Amino acid sequence: MTVLLHQLKFEQRVFWRSREAAVFIFIFPLLLYALLGSIYGDEIDGVPAADVLLAGLFGYGAANTAFGGLAITLVIRREAGILKRLRSTPLPPWTYLATVLLSTLMVFALQAVALLVLGSLAFDASMPANPLGFAGAIVLGVAAFAGLGVGAASLIRSAEGVSAVVNVIVLPMAFLSGSFGPTREFPVFLQAIADVLPLTYFIDIVYGVYLDGESLFADPKALGVLAAWGIAGLAVALKRFTWMPRER
Amino acid sequence: MSSAIAVRDLRKSYDGVEALRGISFEVTAGEVFGLLGPNGAGKTTAVEILEGYRNRDGGDASVLGYDPGDSPRAMRERIGVVLQHSEITPLLTVREAHLLFAGYYAKPRDVDEVLEVVGLMEKRDARVKTLSGGQKRRLDLGIALVGDPELVFLDEPTTGFDPAARRSAWEMILALRSLGKTILLTTHYLDEAQRLADRVAVIRAGRIIRLGTPAELIGDARSIEIRFLKNGEQVVIETKNPTQALNELTAEALATGYELEQLEVRRPTLEDVYLELVDEYDGDVE
Ligand SMILES: Nc1ncnc2c1ncn2[C@@H]1O[C@H](COP(=O)(O)OP(=O)(O)OP(=O)(O)O)[C@@H](O)[C@H]1O
Ligand SMILES: [Mg+2]
């Protein structure tokens, strides 16, 4: 436990010291929200646009932080031999992974708060109708996307390519799942793709707890699909994750 | 004396390439043991099997009484590691990196004392990514020592060191030895092995071709070399009886009144012996 807190402290220090990570992971969703919030009109389908977009960007933020950020961090650390070096210390591997997860959760929770503050100050967005459910959704989203992130990190081979690969996945997924605005007018086949993406369901869940004041467990199908993706990612990780750089 | 490391008939292949073809050796507690051998001989493979990084295909291995294949936490608590290639999170400062690793161990050493020992006190607040190659290596060394290990694995620890830094690394390794620590060292610097190692094993193509103290290895080898210039020509005499040979040479020189210019009497070094050994085995690798 003390080791976990010790590691978490350094994990956080390293995250905030890394300009690229802090900007790409933390600032970018806020920036997108500011942009989109100024473009869309007052309402989307009778709901305040600021609220709809906020729900969408919570989704994008979760995928970007927990899936994208985590995959990038792990691949870079693995290929540099940073993970390898840790492996021969007494630090238990699971403690390390748990710390990386917790650190990601802290970053995303802070980002969710920042989005709420920005929304309410700049666009008069609502506060969560079900705050506890909303907090639960954040934890759930981070868990599921982190599972996918570790899975992806196990499959991606090179540190040079990892950012590109991650963005090729995250950006289209966010777009199709409605992170950046309604998808109602998308062609049917794109909507069909969206129908299997975890982010679509995560945004549904966020929508429920944030706007409609529903319980976190109101939509079992959405929870099921999201969990299935997270578990699939974890299964890949359990089979393929390595601490050693690929080339050696 | 108990053995800190015991290896018997250790084997390892990578996709059909046999990197280790059955090596056996023991490292006594408190000993500095050197693994020598050309590039690709299998040194890193052997060391990383013992550190718990790689699985062996065959043979027995014991590290402080543990099976390194399981790499139990209790074993990791008691070993220190300098890998041939690894990195430390580049955004931390040197001192923070030491503190980070110190936090993993039950009884770590004082971080500032370690910084002093590896000569990084002046760089303690510099980010890791700003260090020079040799300074990074010192960081690796510091971090290997921060857990106060009783067994230290050093895979080419002084590569990239300037001559002064190498000397101080030697001092440090000898100081560790005098504290009773056991050290398994690989190096391409034969003078380093000769200076530090109580015993060395020369590996070539996955086999140990010679094992013994540096003195034994040199002793099995050739004679002493006497060199001088005669009329501008280099003369080399190899002899098992240097006293007699020198006596004859100088007597003749005195009698005929010429000077033995640039006279040198040289005992073969570990490097000479090593080069001969490796050469000798060059023919029968496959
Ligand atoms: N992960 C790996 N996959 C495939 N082959 C490997 C791997 N690691 C090492 N080898 C091969 O095994 C042999 C021994 O390599 P090893 O790294 O143990 O040599 P070494 O003695 O440490 O060499 P050097 O002095 O260059 O560090 C080499 O032929 C090398 O190419
Ligand atoms: Mg090597």
Side-chain angles (χ1 to χ4, degrees), chain A residues 248, chain B residues 14 19 38-45 54 84 156 188:
Chain A
R248 292 240 82 200
Chain B
Y14 303 101
N39 291 133
K43 303 180 296 296
T44 297
T45 299
R54 307 187 192 210
Q84 188 168 3
E156 300 190 23
H188 289 296

Side-chain angles (χ1 to χ4, degrees), chain A residues 82-233:
Chain A
I82 293 174
L83 296 186
K84 180 179 178 183
R85 182 62 188 81
L86 290 177
R87 205 56 197 85
S88 61
T89 71
L91 179 68
W94 289 107
T95 306
Y96 179 73
L97 287 177
T99 314
V100 174
L101 270 176
L102 274 176
S103 181
T104 305
L105 179 63
M106 282 171 70
V107 171
F108 182 60
L110 212 63
Q111 182 175 81
V113 171
L115 278 168
L116 280 173
V117 170
L118 176 67
S120 74
L121 292 182
F123 307 113
D124 210 17
S126 317
M127 283 292 136
N130 172 3
L132 213 64
F134 182 73
I138 286 176
V139 174
L140 208 72
V142 166
F145 285 108
L148 281 168
V150 186
S154 319
L155 298 178
I156 298 171
R157 294 180 162 268
S158 90
E160 289 80 42
V162 62
S163 276
V165 173
V166 157
N167 277 312
V168 162
I169 297 171
V170 170
L171 282 173
M173 173 167 78
F175 186 69
L176 290 177
S177 309
S179 283
F180 309 139
T183 60
R184 204 174 356 92
E185 316 222 319
F186 283 11
V188 177
F189 79 98
L190 287 183
Q191 295 199 23
I193 297 176
D195 265 352
V196 299
L197 294 175
L199 190 50
T200 308
Y201 295 92
F202 180 59
I203 292 174
D204 279 353
I205 294 169
V206 170
Y207 212 93
V209 291
Y210 170 59
L211 286 177
D212 302 339
E214 283 172 1
S215 138
L216 179 58
F217 309 102
D219 186 350
K221 184 191 170 200
L223 283 175
V225 176
L226 189 63
W229 275 102
I231 289 168

